[in-house]
Amino acid sequence: MISIQVVYALPNNSTIIDCEVDEQSNVLQAITKSNILSLCQIKLDDHLIGIYGKRCALTEWVKEGDRIEIYRPLINDPKEIRRRKAAQKR
């Protein structure tokens, strides 16, 4: 068994679950075992996944100490925000 964390952050709070999974577990299996999907009422289809800030596939194997992060969809596109700011300065 290996120790990992599964994290989902909202603007006001974050949910961090420490979990023990088998050494031959992938990211999806680890997320499922942590039960974070039902705790935070997350539909995984709408979210991106990463390990320590780097996007990964659900089929990637987890390693000891990994921090699996579930990313929320962006509210605003950063490129669009920059365009609006540049247009206001003109």
Side-chain angles (χ1 to χ4, degrees):
M1 298 293 275
I2 57 174
S3 298
I4 59 154
Q5 282 186 329
V6 181
V7 179
Y8 181 67
L10 294 172
N12 298 331
N13 66 344
S14 60
T15 302
I16 301 171
I17 298 176
D18 293 315
C19 189
E20 299 260 333
V21 296
D22 293 328
E23 290 182 28
Q24 298 298 318
S25 297
N26 63 28
V27 172
L28 179 59
Q29 291 167 333
I31 290 172
T32 304
K33 183 162 183 182
S34 74
N35 202 31
I36 199 166
L37 298 177
S38 61
L39 281 172
C40 297
Q41 299 179 2
I42 302 170
K43 291 176 71 178
L44 206 51
D45 299 340
D46 302 336
H47 296 76
L48 297 174
I49 308 298
I51 296 176
Y52 285 115
K54 293 187 179 187
R55 285 192 45 201
C56 69
L58 291 172
T59 56
E60 191 170 315
W61 298 111
V62 294
K63 298 182 285 295
E64 175 71 33
D66 275 353
R67 178 184 171 105
I68 300 170
E69 301 162 342
I70 303 172
Y71 304 122
R72 292 178 286 123
L74 293 176
I75 295 171
N76 293 314
D77 180 16
K79 290 180 184 177
E80 184 59 35
I81 293 171
R82 281 187 234 117
R83 282 188 202 112
R84 279 191 232 139
K85 286 181 181 180
Q88 287 175 351
K89 290 181 182 178
R90 293 181 189 170

